[in-house]
Each structure stands twice: as C-alpha cells, then as structure tokens.
Amino acid sequence: MVSLTLNNPVVQAYIVHSAILALKLLSLTVLTALARMTRRIFANPEDAKMLRGGKVKYDDPVVERIRRAHLNDLENIPAFWILGAFYVTTGPAATFATLLFRLFTVFRILHTIVYAVIPLPQPSRAIAFGIPYIIMLYMGIQVILYYVTALDPAVQSYILYSGILGLKLLAVTILTGRVRYAKKVFANEEDAKRTKGKVKYDDPDVERVRRAHLNDLENIPVFWVLGALYLTTAPEAAWATLLFRVYTAGRILHTIVYAVKPLPQPARGIAFGIPFIITVYMGFKVVTHFITAL
C-alpha cells in the first residue's frame, strides 16, 4: 500500500469527485420531494394531509421514475466511494485516476438527467450507466490484483475483501439485467419498447433478484464502515482476516442461494446470519474499545 497525503493529486481528485457525487445524491432527495409536492402524491397519510388535494399513492409514474433513479445511485455511488478509495491506495497515475473519477462523476450525473429529469430513449441511459460501471469494475479488479498476495496484514485483507464485495454488488446488477431481458419484463417504457417487452413491477423472478440486491445494500455498506472501524481497535491480523474472509464468503453464498439457485431454508438464513453476527461482533468490539469516548 502506497503512502498517501492530502497533497497527493489523486487523493484530492478522489475527494472532490466523491463530494460532488454526495451532493448529487442529496439533490435527488430534493427532486423526489418536489415531484411529490407538485403532483400532490405522497407515500404517507400525514404528508398527504399537509396539502389540500394531497393523496396517498404508490405507483405515480413520475415519482417512481425518480425513485428508481435514486435507487440506482444508491446501488452504484457508495460502491464507487469504496472502490475508488482503495484504488487510490494502489498508487495509480494521477492523470489516469483523475480521468476515471471525472468520467464516473459526469456520466452518473448524465444518467440521472436522461433517466429522471429529461427521459430519453435507450441507449442513452444504458451508456450513461455502462461507462461508470466499467470504471468501477476496472478499479475493483486493480484493487484485488494489487492486494491478492497480501492476505495476512489486517488492513490489506480488509481492502481486498471489501473490493471483492464491491464487485459482488456490481455482479448482482448484471444479474438483474439478465433476468429482465430473459423475461422481457422492465420497469421503464423505453426499455420495454426496445425489446418488445412489457412494463411489469411484480415479476417474481425479477423481484427475487432485486430483494437479494437490496439485502446486499442493507448489509455490505455496514461491513465497510464497521470493518474499517474495527481495524482501529488493533485486532490480531489472522483473526481479523478470518472474519473478513468468512463474511465475504457468506455474502456471496447468500446471493447464490437467494437469487441464483434458490434453496429452501435454512440455507439463506445461515448465509445471512453468519455475516450478520460478524458485523455485530465488530460493532460491539468498536463500542467497547472506545466506550470512554461517550
């Protein structure tokens, strides 16, 4: 792992583009609220009562399109934050790394524009999604190749397995797309028209993969945070590496028995439970280590 300082141009480029992406995420929250207020469509009764003529509705096409764009950001931008940060530690050339960060940020902004602000026919959204996706894949592979022979030190093993988990998140995105195209079932009209498919929101196979993806989004970012904090407690390297390795294997198995080859319970319960216990353990160790700071 290379030595890094805030004066490093790669670090600075990562920080500024990450901040822009964070602001972009916040802007979609505002965009969703504006659409709800303008159309007087809400998800909660107490919100609907605030405006005359407001009503509770869960399938407004404009609001749902913005929410899908927001969810797509939540599926991709946190992965960039992690993979990008680890990619910086591999010592990439400043010009090339900055170009990757810049392209990722620009195309994620374009993705939201052509998806939720001014919807355009495909392949505009696919291009705006695909280029950042390829960039994350590249960074994730570079991280794994850099750290794959350094499994013993705790920090390096954390980076390696976090990179693998980042690529796993991206893989489930591909899996969702494969199922949609195989069944010709889509969430957006422009996608359905392109393949002579249909718009449907409750296909059981698609929804199963999406639930597996959502389960990853509920758990893997927590591991990234707690795993990094756990390292500050100076755990024994072999034990920490074992925890990171088992967690990663468990999350991969969870997706397999949930969305790839569904198995009866308790297969999914075990694949979920073991990584969950590991994150709880790491969180407990962090709290007890720093308890006096409360």
Short mmCIF file of all heavy atoms in Angstrom, two decimals, residues 68 122 125 176-203 206:
data_model
loop_
_atom_site.label_atom_id
_atom_site.label_comp_id
_atom_site.label_asym_id
_atom_site.label_seq_id
_atom_site.Cartn_x
_atom_site.Cartn_y
_atom_site.Cartn_z
N ARG A 68 -36.56 5.35 -8.81
CA ARG A 68 -35.70 4.33 -9.42
C ARG A 68 -34.33 4.91 -9.75
O ARG A 68 -33.30 4.23 -9.58
CB ARG A 68 -36.36 3.75 -10.67
CG ARG A 68 -37.55 2.85 -10.39
CD ARG A 68 -37.95 2.03 -11.60
NE ARG A 68 -38.36 2.84 -12.74
CZ ARG A 68 -39.60 3.26 -12.94
NH1 ARG A 68 -40.56 2.98 -12.08
NH2 ARG A 68 -39.89 3.98 -14.02
N GLN A 122 -33.60 4.71 -24.98
CA GLN A 122 -32.36 3.96 -24.96
C GLN A 122 -31.68 4.06 -26.32
O GLN A 122 -32.34 4.31 -27.31
CB GLN A 122 -32.64 2.49 -24.63
CG GLN A 122 -33.12 2.27 -23.21
CD GLN A 122 -31.98 2.34 -22.19
OE1 GLN A 122 -30.99 3.05 -22.38
NE2 GLN A 122 -32.14 1.62 -21.10
N ARG A 125 -29.59 6.02 -21.62
CA ARG A 125 -29.42 5.69 -20.20
C ARG A 125 -28.43 4.54 -20.01
O ARG A 125 -27.66 4.53 -19.06
CB ARG A 125 -30.77 5.34 -19.57
CG ARG A 125 -30.73 5.34 -18.05
CD ARG A 125 -32.07 5.06 -17.43
NE ARG A 125 -32.39 3.65 -17.39
CZ ARG A 125 -33.36 3.07 -18.08
NH1 ARG A 125 -34.13 3.79 -18.89
NH2 ARG A 125 -33.58 1.77 -17.98
N THR A 176 -29.59 -8.83 -12.38
CA THR A 176 -30.93 -8.24 -12.52
C THR A 176 -31.23 -7.96 -13.98
O THR A 176 -32.32 -8.25 -14.49
CB THR A 176 -31.03 -6.94 -11.71
OG1 THR A 176 -30.66 -7.19 -10.35
CG2 THR A 176 -32.45 -6.39 -11.74
N GLY A 177 -30.25 -7.36 -14.68
CA GLY A 177 -30.44 -7.07 -16.10
C GLY A 177 -30.66 -8.32 -16.92
O GLY A 177 -31.51 -8.35 -17.82
N ARG A 178 -29.92 -9.39 -16.62
CA ARG A 178 -30.08 -10.65 -17.35
C ARG A 178 -31.48 -11.21 -17.19
O ARG A 178 -32.11 -11.67 -18.15
CB ARG A 178 -29.06 -11.67 -16.84
CG ARG A 178 -27.67 -11.54 -17.43
CD ARG A 178 -26.83 -12.74 -17.09
NE ARG A 178 -27.46 -13.98 -17.56
CZ ARG A 178 -27.09 -15.19 -17.20
NH1 ARG A 178 -26.12 -15.36 -16.31
NH2 ARG A 178 -27.69 -16.27 -17.69
N VAL A 179 -31.99 -11.18 -15.95
CA VAL A 179 -33.32 -11.73 -15.70
C VAL A 179 -34.38 -10.89 -16.41
O VAL A 179 -35.32 -11.43 -17.01
CB VAL A 179 -33.61 -11.79 -14.18
CG1 VAL A 179 -35.05 -12.24 -13.92
CG2 VAL A 179 -32.63 -12.74 -13.50
N ARG A 180 -34.23 -9.57 -16.36
CA ARG A 180 -35.19 -8.69 -17.04
C ARG A 180 -35.22 -8.98 -18.54
O ARG A 180 -36.30 -9.09 -19.15
CB ARG A 180 -34.84 -7.22 -16.79
CG ARG A 180 -35.19 -6.72 -15.39
CD ARG A 180 -35.19 -5.20 -15.35
NE ARG A 180 -35.50 -4.67 -14.04
CZ ARG A 180 -36.72 -4.57 -13.53
NH1 ARG A 180 -37.76 -5.01 -14.22
NH2 ARG A 180 -36.91 -4.05 -12.33
N TYR A 181 -34.06 -9.08 -19.16
CA TYR A 181 -34.01 -9.31 -20.60
C TYR A 181 -34.48 -10.71 -20.97
O TYR A 181 -35.11 -10.91 -22.02
CB TYR A 181 -32.61 -9.04 -21.13
CG TYR A 181 -32.37 -7.58 -21.43
CD1 TYR A 181 -31.86 -6.73 -20.46
CD2 TYR A 181 -32.70 -7.04 -22.68
CE1 TYR A 181 -31.67 -5.37 -20.72
CE2 TYR A 181 -32.50 -5.70 -22.95
CZ TYR A 181 -31.98 -4.87 -21.97
OH TYR A 181 -31.80 -3.53 -22.23
N ALA A 182 -34.18 -11.68 -20.13
CA ALA A 182 -34.62 -13.04 -20.41
C ALA A 182 -36.15 -13.15 -20.38
O ALA A 182 -36.75 -13.86 -21.20
CB ALA A 182 -34.01 -14.01 -19.41
N LYS A 183 -36.77 -12.43 -19.45
CA LYS A 183 -38.23 -12.50 -19.30
C LYS A 183 -38.94 -11.34 -20.01
O LYS A 183 -40.17 -11.30 -20.04
CB LYS A 183 -38.61 -12.52 -17.82
CG LYS A 183 -37.93 -13.65 -17.04
CD LYS A 183 -38.63 -13.90 -15.73
CE LYS A 183 -39.99 -14.52 -15.92
NZ LYS A 183 -40.62 -14.93 -14.66
N LYS A 184 -38.15 -10.40 -20.55
CA LYS A 184 -38.69 -9.22 -21.24
C LYS A 184 -39.66 -8.46 -20.35
O LYS A 184 -40.75 -8.05 -20.76
CB LYS A 184 -39.35 -9.62 -22.55
CG LYS A 184 -38.36 -10.18 -23.56
CD LYS A 184 -38.98 -10.37 -24.93
CE LYS A 184 -37.94 -10.83 -25.94
NZ LYS A 184 -38.48 -10.95 -27.30
N VAL A 185 -39.23 -8.26 -19.11
CA VAL A 185 -40.02 -7.55 -18.12
C VAL A 185 -39.19 -6.37 -17.62
O VAL A 185 -38.07 -6.56 -17.13
CB VAL A 185 -40.39 -8.47 -16.94
CG1 VAL A 185 -41.01 -7.67 -15.81
CG2 VAL A 185 -41.34 -9.56 -17.42
N PHE A 186 -39.73 -5.16 -17.71
CA PHE A 186 -38.96 -3.95 -17.41
C PHE A 186 -39.76 -3.00 -16.53
O PHE A 186 -40.98 -3.11 -16.39
CB PHE A 186 -38.55 -3.26 -18.71
CG PHE A 186 -37.75 -4.15 -19.63
CD1 PHE A 186 -38.38 -4.89 -20.62
CD2 PHE A 186 -36.38 -4.26 -19.49
CE1 PHE A 186 -37.65 -5.73 -21.45
CE2 PHE A 186 -35.64 -5.10 -20.30
CZ PHE A 186 -36.28 -5.83 -21.29
N ALA A 187 -39.03 -2.03 -15.95
CA ALA A 187 -39.66 -1.03 -15.09
C ALA A 187 -39.92 0.26 -15.85
O ALA A 187 -40.65 1.12 -15.37
CB ALA A 187 -38.78 -0.75 -13.88
N ASN A 188 -39.32 0.42 -17.04
CA ASN A 188 -39.45 1.66 -17.81
C ASN A 188 -39.95 1.37 -19.22
O ASN A 188 -39.54 0.38 -19.86
CB ASN A 188 -38.09 2.36 -17.90
CG ASN A 188 -37.50 2.65 -16.53
OD1 ASN A 188 -38.01 3.45 -15.77
ND2 ASN A 188 -36.42 1.95 -16.20
N GLU A 189 -40.82 2.25 -19.73
CA GLU A 189 -41.43 2.04 -21.03
C GLU A 189 -40.38 2.00 -22.15
O GLU A 189 -40.50 1.22 -23.09
CB GLU A 189 -42.46 3.13 -21.31
CG GLU A 189 -43.70 3.03 -20.42
CD GLU A 189 -44.73 4.10 -20.77
OE1 GLU A 189 -44.48 4.85 -21.74
OE2 GLU A 189 -45.76 4.17 -20.09
N GLU A 190 -39.35 2.88 -22.05
CA GLU A 190 -38.36 2.93 -23.13
C GLU A 190 -37.57 1.63 -23.23
O GLU A 190 -37.14 1.23 -24.32
CB GLU A 190 -37.41 4.11 -22.94
CG GLU A 190 -36.59 4.10 -21.66
CD GLU A 190 -37.25 4.82 -20.51
OE1 GLU A 190 -38.50 4.91 -20.51
OE2 GLU A 190 -36.53 5.28 -19.60
N ASP A 191 -37.40 0.94 -22.10
CA ASP A 191 -36.71 -0.35 -22.13
C ASP A 191 -37.61 -1.43 -22.75
O ASP A 191 -37.15 -2.26 -23.53
CB ASP A 191 -36.31 -0.78 -20.72
CG ASP A 191 -35.39 0.23 -20.05
OD1 ASP A 191 -34.62 0.87 -20.77
OD2 ASP A 191 -35.45 0.36 -18.83
N ALA A 192 -38.88 -1.40 -22.38
CA ALA A 192 -39.82 -2.39 -22.90
C ALA A 192 -39.99 -2.26 -24.41
O ALA A 192 -40.04 -3.26 -25.13
CB ALA A 192 -41.16 -2.25 -22.19
N LYS A 193 -40.07 -1.03 -24.91
CA LYS A 193 -40.27 -0.81 -26.34
C LYS A 193 -39.07 -1.30 -27.15
O LYS A 193 -39.23 -1.79 -28.27
CB LYS A 193 -40.49 0.68 -26.61
CG LYS A 193 -41.83 1.20 -26.13
CD LYS A 193 -41.95 2.69 -26.39
CE LYS A 193 -43.28 3.22 -25.88
NZ LYS A 193 -43.40 4.70 -26.07
N ARG A 194 -37.89 -1.18 -26.56
CA ARG A 194 -36.67 -1.54 -27.28
C ARG A 194 -36.59 -3.05 -27.53
O ARG A 194 -35.98 -3.50 -28.50
CB ARG A 194 -35.46 -1.07 -26.47
CG ARG A 194 -34.14 -1.16 -27.20
CD ARG A 194 -33.10 -0.31 -26.50
NE ARG A 194 -31.80 -0.46 -27.11
CZ ARG A 194 -30.75 -1.03 -26.54
NH1 ARG A 194 -30.85 -1.49 -25.32
NH2 ARG A 194 -29.60 -1.13 -27.18
N THR A 195 -37.18 -3.83 -26.65
CA THR A 195 -37.08 -5.29 -26.77
C THR A 195 -38.43 -5.96 -26.99
O THR A 195 -38.54 -7.19 -26.87
CB THR A 195 -36.46 -5.87 -25.48
OG1 THR A 195 -37.28 -5.53 -24.37
CG2 THR A 195 -35.06 -5.32 -25.26
N LYS A 196 -39.45 -5.16 -27.28
CA LYS A 196 -40.81 -5.67 -27.44
C LYS A 196 -41.25 -6.42 -26.18
O LYS A 196 -41.92 -7.45 -26.25
CB LYS A 196 -40.90 -6.58 -28.67
CG LYS A 196 -40.64 -5.86 -29.98
CD LYS A 196 -40.79 -6.78 -31.18
CE LYS A 196 -40.52 -6.02 -32.48
NZ LYS A 196 -40.64 -6.91 -33.66
N GLY A 197 -40.83 -5.87 -25.05
CA GLY A 197 -41.21 -6.44 -23.77
C GLY A 197 -42.40 -5.71 -23.18
O GLY A 197 -43.15 -5.03 -23.89
N LYS A 198 -42.55 -5.81 -21.87
CA LYS A 198 -43.67 -5.15 -21.20
C LYS A 198 -43.22 -4.57 -19.87
O LYS A 198 -42.23 -5.03 -19.28
CB LYS A 198 -44.82 -6.12 -20.98
CG LYS A 198 -44.46 -7.34 -20.14
CD LYS A 198 -45.64 -8.29 -20.00
CE LYS A 198 -45.26 -9.53 -19.20
NZ LYS A 198 -46.41 -10.46 -19.06
N VAL A 199 -43.94 -3.57 -19.42
CA VAL A 199 -43.67 -2.96 -18.12
C VAL A 199 -44.43 -3.76 -17.06
O VAL A 199 -45.64 -3.96 -17.15
CB VAL A 199 -44.12 -1.49 -18.09
CG1 VAL A 199 -43.96 -0.91 -16.68
CG2 VAL A 199 -43.31 -0.66 -19.08
N LYS A 200 -43.66 -4.24 -16.08
CA LYS A 200 -44.26 -5.03 -15.01
C LYS A 200 -43.43 -4.87 -13.76
O LYS A 200 -42.21 -4.94 -13.82
CB LYS A 200 -44.35 -6.51 -15.42
CG LYS A 200 -45.14 -7.39 -14.45
CD LYS A 200 -45.20 -8.83 -14.96
CE LYS A 200 -46.01 -9.70 -14.00
NZ LYS A 200 -46.04 -11.11 -14.43
N TYR A 201 -44.09 -4.64 -12.64
CA TYR A 201 -43.36 -4.37 -11.40
C TYR A 201 -43.37 -5.51 -10.40
O TYR A 201 -42.77 -5.41 -9.34
CB TYR A 201 -43.96 -3.12 -10.73
CG TYR A 201 -43.93 -1.89 -11.60
CD1 TYR A 201 -45.11 -1.32 -12.06
CD2 TYR A 201 -42.72 -1.29 -11.95
CE1 TYR A 201 -45.08 -0.18 -12.86
CE2 TYR A 201 -42.69 -0.17 -12.75
CZ TYR A 201 -43.87 0.39 -13.21
OH TYR A 201 -43.84 1.50 -14.00
N ASP A 202 -44.04 -6.62 -10.74
CA ASP A 202 -44.18 -7.68 -9.75
C ASP A 202 -43.80 -9.05 -10.29
O ASP A 202 -44.32 -10.08 -9.83
CB ASP A 202 -45.62 -7.72 -9.21
CG ASP A 202 -46.66 -7.91 -10.32
OD1 ASP A 202 -46.27 -7.94 -11.50
OD2 ASP A 202 -47.86 -8.03 -9.99
N ASP A 203 -42.90 -9.09 -11.28
CA ASP A 203 -42.44 -10.39 -11.76
C ASP A 203 -41.68 -11.09 -10.63
O ASP A 203 -40.74 -10.52 -10.06
CB ASP A 203 -41.52 -10.21 -12.97
CG ASP A 203 -41.04 -11.54 -13.50
OD1 ASP A 203 -41.76 -12.16 -14.29
OD2 ASP A 203 -39.92 -11.96 -13.12
N VAL A 206 -37.69 -11.43 -11.16
CA VAL A 206 -37.01 -10.13 -11.09
C VAL A 206 -37.01 -9.62 -9.66
O VAL A 206 -35.98 -9.14 -9.14
CB VAL A 206 -37.67 -9.11 -12.03
CG1 VAL A 206 -37.06 -7.72 -11.81
CG2 VAL A 206 -37.51 -9.53 -13.49
#
